């Protein structure tokens, strides 16, 4: 067994050393409205969120991913509070690109040119996080028009020059878009879906070829890989997992195939969560999964996955075979 602190990765071209697993701070933003539905993961306890973030630091996790969307700024504020006096111990990533209405807890799509708002959005995030510079600033608009990418990259490069951000990336599942974004000198990462059931070979190829970090959202398929839920599970009304996208894209395919690979994922004393993270690390040296959390206990289970490290090559081949890949 390897020690927790020995499992680290380089954040793409940035050269920054980060824990091989980060924490996704979506859930700690609490309830908020997204378009016509829910954007949050149900009710939260801010004090527990802060304890969980600080426990993560103590457990060797130093990479935290949030967004202006999450709780319409609340997640950024809580992360800032938790890291007060500890800024030098953390690598902070956040995201931008939507209209965030903090007063009404509502996030909507922009209908006009994003570029004119980016600088103000950056300033707003800096204030909420209570920091001087953002380590990784990521475009959150997954379907941002390809033809507008060069101008966006130029703007982000100017924010680097001004000392507002250190590096940037894009949260997208478009491999074509990722290649174009990566033409920017300080582009360090692409954030995209990846888990043991939902592979992303084309995006991983881009990240490996261009030396980008593959920051992995939905590494536990929105909780479907935790082993806690069954088909037909219902969630609170203010939980985003009630939407059809979560059910069709994550829960249904995952729960349909989980039994076939459960034994491999729970090998060597791992929990199912720890096995799912181990698969991601074995998939590519560029991967950095960012599982979400609400409690100290969840962070503790996630962090202990680093003690086991990745699955073996043989286990990876067996999973591909069982899943028909």
């Amino acid at each position: 067994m390897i020690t927790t602190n020995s499992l680290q990765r380089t954040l793409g071209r940035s050269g920054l050393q980060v824990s091989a697993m980060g924490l996704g701070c979506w859930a700690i933003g609490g309830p908020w409205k997204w378009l016509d539905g829910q954007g949050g993961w149900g009710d939260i306890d801010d004090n527990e969120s802060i304890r969980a973030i600080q426990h993560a630091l103590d457990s060797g996790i130093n990479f935290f991913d949030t967004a202006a969307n999450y709780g319409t700024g609340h997640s950024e504020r809580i992360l800032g509070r938790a890291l007060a006096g500890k800024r030098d111990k953390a690598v902070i990533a956040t995201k931008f690109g939507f209209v965030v209405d903090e007063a009404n807890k509502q996030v909507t799509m922009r209908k006009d040119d994003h570029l004119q708002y980016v600088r103000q959005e950056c300033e707003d995030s800096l204030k909420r996080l209570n920091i001087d510079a953002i380590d990784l600033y990521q475009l959150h608009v997954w379907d941002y028009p390809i033809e507008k990418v060069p101008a966006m990259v130029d703007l982000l490069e100017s924010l680097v020059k001004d000392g507002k951000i250190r590096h940037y990336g894009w949260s997208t599942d478009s491999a074509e878009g990722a290649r174009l974004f990566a033409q920017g000198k300080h582009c360090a990462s692409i954030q995209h879906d990846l888990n043991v059931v939902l592979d992303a070979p084309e995006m991983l190829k881009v990240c490996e070829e261009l030396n980008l970090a593959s920051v992995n959202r939905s590494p536990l398929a929105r909780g479907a890989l935790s082993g806690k839920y069954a088909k037909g599970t219902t969630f609170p009304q203010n939980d985003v997992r009630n939407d059809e996208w979560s059910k069709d894209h994550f829960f249904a395919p995952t729960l349909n195939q989980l039994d076939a690979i459960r034994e491999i994922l729970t090998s060597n004393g791992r929990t199912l969560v720890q096995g799912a993270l181990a698969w991601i690390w074995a998939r590519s040296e560029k991967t950095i999964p960012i599982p979400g959390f609400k409690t100290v206990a969840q962070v503790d289970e996630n962090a202990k996955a680093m003690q086991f490290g990745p699955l073996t090559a043989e286990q990876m081949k067996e999973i591909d075979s069982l899943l028909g890949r």
Side-chain angles (χ1 to χ4, degrees), residues 24-245:
C25 300
W26 182 359
I28 66 169
W32 50 283
K33 291 173 285 186
W34 164 244
L35 301 179
D36 296 324
Q38 295 297 324
W41 290 61
D43 296 332
I44 49 169
D45 177 340
D46 289 343
N47 290 327
E48 178 72 1
S49 299
I50 290 170
R51 285 191 292 268
I53 291 166
Q54 293 174 344
H55 181 70
L57 278 176
D58 293 340
S59 302
I61 297 172
N62 74 336
F63 182 52
F64 300 90
D65 177 89
T66 184
N69 280 24
Y70 302 161
T72 60
H74 189 69
S75 174
E76 288 182 324
R77 293 185 191 281
I78 293 300
L79 183 60
R81 283 172 55 189
L83 296 177
K86 307 173 189 293
R87 175 66 181 96
D88 60 329
K89 298 180 180 179
V91 175
I92 298 174
T94 193
K95 299 185 282 295
F96 69 96
F98 294 97
V99 181
V100 176
D101 182 347
E102 291 193 57
N104 294 306
K105 288 287 182 180
Q106 176 80 49
V107 176
T108 54
M109 308 280 281
R110 286 211 181 279
K111 296 181 180 179
D112 49 359
D113 187 4
H114 289 72
L115 295 174
Q116 62 184 305
Y117 300 100
V118 176
R119 286 187 174 276
Q120 186 58 55
E121 289 183 71
C122 182
E123 292 292 345
D124 292 343
S125 285
L126 287 168
K127 289 175 183 176
R128 288 190 291 257
L129 289 161
N130 194 28
I131 57 177
D132 296 325
I134 297 164
D135 296 311
L136 181 65
Y137 201 41
Q138 302 159 104
L139 176 61
H140 207 173
V141 186
W142 49 89
D143 58 351
Y144 192 71
I146 295 291
E147 66 273 14
K148 296 183 178 181
V149 164
M152 177 63 74
V153 168
D154 287 346
L155 179 53
L156 291 169
E157 284 290 340
S158 72
L159 287 174
V160 174
K161 185 178 180 180
D162 293 344
K164 300 294 183 179
I165 67 175
R166 295 190 171 99
H167 309 278
Y168 55 84
W170 189 3
S171 180
T172 183
D173 292 299
S174 166
E176 178 190 3
R179 285 187 181 278
L180 187 58
F181 219 75
Q183 292 182 16
K185 179 180 178 181
H186 291 89
C187 180
S189 67
I190 296 295
Q191 184 170 144
H192 62 97
D193 282 337
L194 180 72
N195 60 59
V196 62
V197 173
L198 184 66
D199 198 2
E202 189 176 358
M203 188 66 83
L204 289 172
K205 181 180 179 182
V206 171
C207 291
E208 289 167 354
E209 285 182 5
L210 302 179
N211 190 22
L212 301 171
S214 162
V215 179
N216 312 127
R217 46 177 151 83
S218 306
L220 304 178
R222 295 196 176 180
L225 283 165
S226 69
K228 299 176 183 176
Y229 307 112
K231 294 178 182 178
T233 295
T234 58
F235 296 93
Q237 286 301 307
N238 59 2
D239 192 316
V240 68
R241 289 174 291 180
N242 273 316
D243 68 13
E244 293 305 314
W245 173 254

Side-chain angles (χ1 to χ4, degrees), residues 249-295:
H249 196 63
F250 296 111
F251 276 82
T254 300
L255 296 177
N256 284 338
Q257 300 182 82
L258 185 54
D259 284 344
I261 58 176
R262 185 186 300 270
E263 186 176 346
I264 300 173
L265 295 180
T266 56
S267 62
N268 302 322
R270 293 181 176 93
T271 66
L272 195 55
V273 163
Q274 292 163 353
L277 295 170
W279 180 88
I280 289 178
W281 289 320
R283 185 65 182 82
S284 169
E285 292 185 357
K286 298 298 183 183
T287 56
I288 304 171
I290 49 169
F293 68 98
K294 281 188 179 180
T295 66

Side-chain angles (χ1 to χ4, degrees), residues 11-36:
L11 188 67
R13 305 171 189 163
S14 74
L16 292 171
Q17 293 298 301
V18 297
S19 47
M21 180 186 72
L23 285 184
C25 300
W26 182 359
I28 66 169
W32 50 283
K33 291 173 285 186
W34 164 244
L35 301 179
D36 296 324

